[in-house]
Amino acid sequence: MNRIDDLLEANRAYAAGHDRSGTDDPRPRRRLAVVTCMDARIDVFAALGLHLGEAHVIRNAGGRVTEDVLRSLALSSTVLGVDTAVVMQHTRCGLAGVSEAELRARTGADLDFLPIDDHAAALRTDVAQLTGAPYLRGIERVAGLVYDVETGELEDVVRWERPA
Ligand SMILES: [Zn+2]
C-alpha cells in the first residue's frame, strides 16, 4: 500500500465516525483567524486550545503575511465574521537565519521567500500589513506571537487593537 492509500484508508475510518453536527455554519465560532507556519511540529488547535469550527487556520512557509493570506483574511473578516487575527511564527523555523539568495539557490525558484531575520521585526511588519489593509476593517484586534516548538510555550510579541 502506498502513502496515498494510507490516507484514504484512514479517511474511511474517520468518515465512519464523523459527526456532522455544527457543519451547517461556515463562520468560525471564535471569530478568529490564525496565520501560522506550515511546520509539521505545530499542532495549531492543541497549542491554542481550539476546536473544530472555531477558527480559520491559514498556513504557509514561515507564517508570513502574503498576498494569499490577505486574500483569505479579506473573506474571513467580511463574509465569515472574523474580527480577531493571530500571526504565529515559531522558533527553529526553516525561514529564520537564511537569506533570500540562499533560499532561491536551494530551491531554484525565483520567488519571494520572506525569510525571517528577527521574529519581532517580521511580526511587526506582518501585523502592519493586516492593520493597514483597508479591506480588513472588520479586524478589531491582532496579535503577533512566537511559538516555541521545544517547550510549546508562546511569546506574546505584538498586540494591536483598532482605535475606537
Ligand atoms: Zn516555520
Side-chain angles (χ1 to χ4, degrees):
M1 187 152 50
N2 70 32
R3 283 176 288 166
I4 303 297
D5 291 331
D6 290 346
L7 303 178
L8 296 177
E9 181 176 310
N11 174 257
R12 280 190 282 277
Y14 172 76
H18 186 61
D19 176 7
R20 78 170 303 285
S21 67
T23 56
D24 290 335
D25 188 351
R27 292 173 301 174
R29 285 195 301 281
R30 295 236 212 152
R31 306 186 71 177
L32 170 69
V34 180
V35 178
T36 194
C37 187
M38 64 189 186
D39 194 294
R41 296 168 292 185
I42 306 171
D43 183 340
V44 180
F45 281 81
L48 299 177
L50 298 172
H51 298 97
L52 193 66
E54 292 185 340
H56 284 157
V57 178
I58 304 162
R59 302 187 74 158
N60 64 24
R64 300 304 312 269
V65 172
T66 61
E67 282 295 311
D68 196 61
V69 168
L70 294 170
R71 178 182 72 91
S72 296
L73 288 175
L75 294 165
S76 288
S77 63
T78 55
V79 182
L80 294 162
V82 163
D83 64 5
T84 302
V86 169
V87 181
M88 187 170 84
Q89 297 177 1
H90 69 99
T91 61
R92 299 175 64 187
C93 185
L95 278 193
V98 287
S99 69
E100 192 89 88
E102 284 174 80
L103 292 166
R104 286 180 178 172
R106 284 176 67 180
T107 59
D110 185 22
L111 298 171
D112 293 328
F113 286 95
L114 304 174
I116 299 165
D117 257 345
D118 169 56
H119 282 295
L123 286 168
R124 278 194 296 273
T125 298
D126 287 358
V127 168
Q129 283 214 71
L130 301 187
T131 61
Y135 49 83
L136 298 182
R137 276 185 305 273
I139 302 220
E140 298 290 336
R141 66 195 65 76
V142 181
L145 311 174
V146 179
Y147 173 77
D148 187 320
V149 293
E150 286 161 278
T151 66
E153 292 171 346
L154 283 174
E155 185 186 353
D156 190 352
V157 179
V158 185
R159 293 288 193 104
W160 177 88
E161 291 241 12
R162 186 169 298 284

